[in-house]
Amino acid sequence: MTGTSQRGTVPGLLSAHPLGEQLPAVYADDDFAMRFVAGLDTVLAPLFTVLDCLEAYFTPALAPEDFLDWLTEWV
């Protein structure tokens, strides 16, 4: 394994499941709560993207190279 990962936050990537929209109405007007969950959305957006496209990770022609390296070592 090369040791370099292509994972991380992606600038401008929006979460497919924004947490702010799922909060109870009492928090909708709370600026701190909305900023807090916006930070979580930034961290979780790449995870949701990977999970939404998980089958592509197991198709060798589509999977990221560093994931294939890890998968071959693991299997």
Side-chain angles (χ1 to χ4, degrees):
M1 195 166 197
T2 61
T4 59
S5 177
Q6 299 170 357
R7 310 289 175 268
T9 59
V10 178
L13 181 64
L14 299 176
S15 177
H17 310 283
L19 297 173
E21 295 175 2
Q22 299 175 23
L23 290 177
V26 69
Y27 295 110
D29 294 331
D30 187 353
D31 184 53
F32 173 76
M34 296 308 287
R35 286 184 293 125
F36 182 77
V37 296
L40 294 174
D41 284 338
T42 301
V43 173
L44 293 174
L47 176 67
F48 287 142
T49 301
V50 167
L51 291 175
D52 288 343
C53 303
L54 190 61
E55 70 277 357
Y57 277 74
F58 297 101
T59 304
L62 301 175
E65 186 176 327
D66 64 324
F67 180 78
L68 286 177
D69 291 341
W70 173 82
L71 190 61
T72 56
E73 287 182 13
W74 183 69
V75 174

